[in-house]
Amino acid sequence: MAKQISQTYGNALFELALEQNNLDQMMQEAVFIRQCLEENEDLIKVLNHPKIPKDEKITLLETVFKGQVSDEMSGFLAVLISKDRQGGIFGIFDYFMHCAREYKKIGVLYVTSAVTLSAVQKEQIEARVLELTGYVSLEVKYEVDESLIGGLVLRINDRVVDSSIKTKLTNMTKSLI
């Protein structure tokens, strides 16, 4: 149910951004609002508190974000509050960002390696992934996991390429048994 709500409202925000021709601005605002909410747990508690009237929550958000977000985003936040969907705001913004990135052909690549990669290795990986996918650019998140022993694990959307030694050893063990 939460996933459906995130998709419905995230898609609505995406369509609004396209309709208003300000996708980049809406993406920046979504990141900004998310960051503010993550840094201020008290604000989230107030927004989710059942005894605080919806109109006070809307006024609070308008006051907090006045001059920092567009009228469209303020209106969207007001709709979320009026429909009691503020609890799913992170999922909604995640889905919106996913739609926006896909529209702009920006891929999110997760790279896990056994050791820290050099700048040259990172460039080679990014170039190869761009070559193999239809993306124009990538947002890359690197992670080191020494348990891999060697090799890489690449994940973009629902595709995973696992060339780690750990996986190869696991597969060999299974085949020998």
Side-chain angles (χ1 to χ4, degrees):
M1 182 73 171
K3 186 175 181 180
Q4 185 178 9
I5 290 168
S6 296
Q7 289 178 347
T8 301
Y9 284 90
N11 210 17
L13 182 59
F14 175 69
E15 294 294 328
L16 175 66
L18 287 180
E19 185 178 296
Q20 298 293 322
N21 199 25
N22 63 351
L23 183 60
D24 292 331
Q25 179 185 348
M26 293 285 244
M27 288 174 70
Q28 291 172 352
E29 291 176 1
V31 169
F32 172 72
I33 293 168
R34 182 186 181 100
Q35 183 179 2
C36 289
L37 292 175
E38 286 174 343
E39 292 173 358
N40 193 340
E41 292 179 20
D42 292 336
L43 182 57
I44 293 175
K45 288 178 185 175
V46 168
L47 292 177
N48 290 324
H49 198 287
K51 293 190 178 184
I52 298 176
K54 292 177 185 177
D55 58 336
E56 288 183 25
K57 293 177 187 179
I58 292 169
T59 304
L60 173 68
L61 282 180
E62 287 173 350
T63 304
V64 168
F65 295 117
K66 184 175 185 170
Q68 298 177 344
V69 298
S70 64
D71 292 340
E72 291 84 5
M73 185 61 84
S74 292
F76 181 76
L77 293 174
V79 168
L80 290 181
I81 298 294
S82 67
K83 301 286 187 184
D84 279 328
R85 300 296 188 214
Q86 67 274 8
I89 195 164
F90 293 124
I92 291 167
F93 281 157
D94 287 345
Y95 190 77
F96 164 71
M97 293 300 287
H98 169 75
C99 291
R101 284 186 190 111
E102 287 297 315
Y103 180 79
K104 295 175 66 112
K105 295 190 182 292
I106 300 171
V108 179
L109 174 66
Y110 297 89
V111 179
T112 308
S113 61
V115 295
T116 304
L117 299 172
S118 69
V120 173
Q121 290 171 320
K122 290 178 180 181
E123 286 178 26
Q124 290 172 341
I125 291 168
E126 292 172 29
R128 184 70 174 142
V129 170
L130 284 174
E131 184 181 312
L132 295 172
T133 62
Y135 293 114
V136 175
S137 66
L138 293 171
E139 291 179 12
V140 187
K141 298 177 173 92
Y142 292 97
E143 182 181 341
V144 175
D145 181 1
E146 293 176 0
S147 72
L148 295 180
I149 304 169
L152 296 172
V153 177
L154 305 176
R155 185 172 65 86
I156 190 165
N157 293 332
D158 59 351
R159 293 177 277 179
V160 177
V161 176
D162 188 344
S163 67
S164 68
I165 293 175
K166 178 181 178 180
T167 301
K168 290 178 182 178
L169 288 173
T170 303
N171 292 340
M172 272 200 278
T173 304
K174 286 179 184 176
S175 69
L176 290 173
I177 292 175

